Amino acid sequence: MESFEQLLDHTIFKYKEFVFSLKSLLVIVMAILFTMALLWVIKKILFRKRKAMDASKYGSLISVFQIIKYVVWIITILIILESFGLKLTVLLAGSAALLVGVGLGLQSTFNDFISGIILLFEGSIRVGDILEVDQDLIEITKIGLRTSEALNRDDIVVIIPNSTITNNKVINWSHQSHKTRFRIKVGVAYGSDIDLVEKLLKESAQEHPEVIEHDKIKARFLDFGNSSLDFELLFFSQNIFRIENVKSDIRKAINQKFNDNKVNIPFPQLDLHIKSGK
């Protein structure tokens, strides 16, 4: 037994009064394992009804778990340092000047960290939300302390500094509702039957499986264009992230119905009149 205690007291590293032994290493390993097990249990409790959750609640729980994880790890690190006899107040006071210098040099990074905390606590942006950032549509997959990860419509992972989300204008397509209204514009030749065009536009949207609330589908006669009568088709869909595929399918249906019903989509035209001189 004494030999085992002596083995645990074996010094691995020593600096002045600080001694790092096998016992210290064992304490660190046990603390890390205990923290990981605790977080695993918390995660299982939070997400025990994952299949019954809607997307917004799931995103909120992920943010809550991220906050809990950071707090638990900070407490674990503090406990480990205290167990080694390190006085945190003395350590912070001694490194105050260093922290000020580092803070001045890493203002943007520090801003990202604060923005990450704001995102996690505020809950205005959650995992699974569809955002429009710099004219790019992305789906948030992870919110970290400094950066967030997202997936764009080309299935490319985008790393976004959190300050970009909090400081700039960002459209959250998922914030208020799981459905959004979209529009498709099309022009037809002068002389076309307006009522027939509106009927064909509505039918094209109604036939698509991703279009919802058929009674709210609208076809509007917008204006008299330079070379066409301009129309607009409005419809609701829940497939926000892949809506361009839905629009493409509807445009195909519109083109086919126009061809079947002899409705022409005109080419841009410009009349040039030439007068001969005397």
Side-chain angles (χ1 to χ4, degrees), residues 216-273:
K216 293 184 179 180
I217 296 174
K218 302 290 184 183
R220 294 176 179 172
F221 180 20
L222 288 181
D223 204 353
F224 297 94
N226 291 330
S227 57
S228 65
L229 301 174
D230 297 333
F231 288 82
E232 181 181 53
L233 173 65
L234 300 101
F235 61 92
F236 282 92
S237 178
Q238 293 177 321
N239 190 354
I240 301 171
F241 195 56
R242 303 292 181 184
I243 192 60
E244 294 304 323
N245 294 337
V246 177
K247 286 184 176 181
S248 176
D249 293 338
I250 295 176
R251 289 189 184 104
K252 292 177 183 177
I254 291 173
N255 186 65
Q256 183 63 50
K257 288 182 180 296
F258 280 4
N259 289 336
D260 294 341
N261 290 272
K262 304 296 187 296
V263 177
N264 296 321
I265 299 176
F267 293 101
Q269 298 177 17
L270 179 64
D271 293 333
L272 181 62
H273 300 276

Side-chain angles (χ1 to χ4, degrees), residues 11 105 108 145-146 161 182 214 254 270:
T11 302
S108 60
L145 270 183
R146 193 182 71 82
F182 300 95
H214 291 178
I254 291 173
L270 179 64

Side-chain angles (χ1 to χ4, degrees), residues 28-41 72-73 76:
I28 293 176
V29 172
M30 293 298 294
I32 292 174
L33 291 177
F34 175 79
T35 302
M36 292 174 64
L38 178 62
L39 290 174
W40 181 83
V41 172
V72 170
W73 277 114
T76 299

Side-chain angles (χ1 to χ4, degrees), residues 37 59-60 63 67 77 110 163 185 188 202 228-229 235 238 270:
S60 299
S63 298
I67 295 170
I77 293 172
F110 184 72
S163 59
K185 294 183 178 181
V188 299
K202 289 181 180 180
S228 65
L229 301 174
F235 61 92
Q238 293 177 321
L270 179 64

Side-chain angles (χ1 to χ4, degrees), residues 96-147:
L98 177 62
L99 291 174
V100 170
V102 171
L104 291 174
L106 299 175
Q107 288 185 12
S108 60
T109 302
F110 184 72
N111 187 18
D112 290 333
F113 275 109
I114 297 300
S115 299
I117 294 173
I118 291 173
L119 289 176
L120 289 171
F121 277 95
E122 191 177 51
S124 58
I125 307 295
R126 298 184 291 261
V127 172
D129 282 0
I130 308 298
L131 307 183
E132 186 173 335
V133 181
D134 294 333
Q135 298 182 341
D136 190 15
L137 205 65
I138 57 175
E139 180 179 7
I140 298 295
T141 57
K142 179 183 177 182
I143 300 177
L145 270 183
R146 193 182 71 82
T147 61

Side-chain angles (χ1 to χ4, degrees), residues 72-226:
V72 170
W73 277 114
I74 290 173
I75 293 174
T76 299
I77 293 172
L78 294 178
I79 292 174
I80 291 174
L81 293 177
E82 285 286 350
S83 67
F84 291 157
L86 294 176
K87 299 300 181 182
L88 297 179
T89 54
V90 176
L91 184 64
L92 291 175
S95 59
L98 177 62
L99 291 174
V100 170
V102 171
L104 291 174
L106 299 175
Q107 288 185 12
S108 60
T109 302
F110 184 72
N111 187 18
D112 290 333
F113 275 109
I114 297 300
S115 299
I117 294 173
I118 291 173
L119 289 176
L120 289 171
F121 277 95
E122 191 177 51
S124 58
I125 307 295
R126 298 184 291 261
V127 172
D129 282 0
I130 308 298
L131 307 183
E132 186 173 335
V133 181
D134 294 333
Q135 298 182 341
D136 190 15
L137 205 65
I138 57 175
E139 180 179 7
I140 298 295
T141 57
K142 179 183 177 182
I143 300 177
L145 270 183
R146 193 182 71 82
T147 61
S148 295
E149 293 184 9
L151 198 69
N152 67 12
R153 288 187 289 194
D154 296 324
D155 289 334
I156 297 174
V157 176
V158 182
I159 308 298
I160 309 170
N162 288 327
S163 59
T164 301
I165 300 176
T166 57
N167 297 337
N168 298 333
K169 179 182 177 181
V170 174
I171 298 175
N172 189 340
W173 291 88
S174 309
H175 190 59
Q176 293 182 342
S177 174
H178 294 294
K179 67 177 183 180
T180 303
R181 191 168 75 167
F182 300 95
R183 61 193 66 205
I184 295 175
K185 294 183 178 181
V186 62
V188 299
Y190 274 91
S192 301
D193 187 335
I194 292 177
D195 293 331
L196 175 61
V197 171
E198 290 182 346
K199 175 176 174 292
L200 296 178
L201 290 176
K202 289 181 180 180
E203 288 179 355
S204 300
Q206 290 170 350
E207 293 172 1
H208 198 285
E210 295 287 350
V211 174
I212 60 174
E213 299 185 6
H214 291 178
D215 58 316
K216 293 184 179 180
I217 296 174
K218 302 290 184 183
R220 294 176 179 172
F221 180 20
L222 288 181
D223 204 353
F224 297 94
N226 291 330

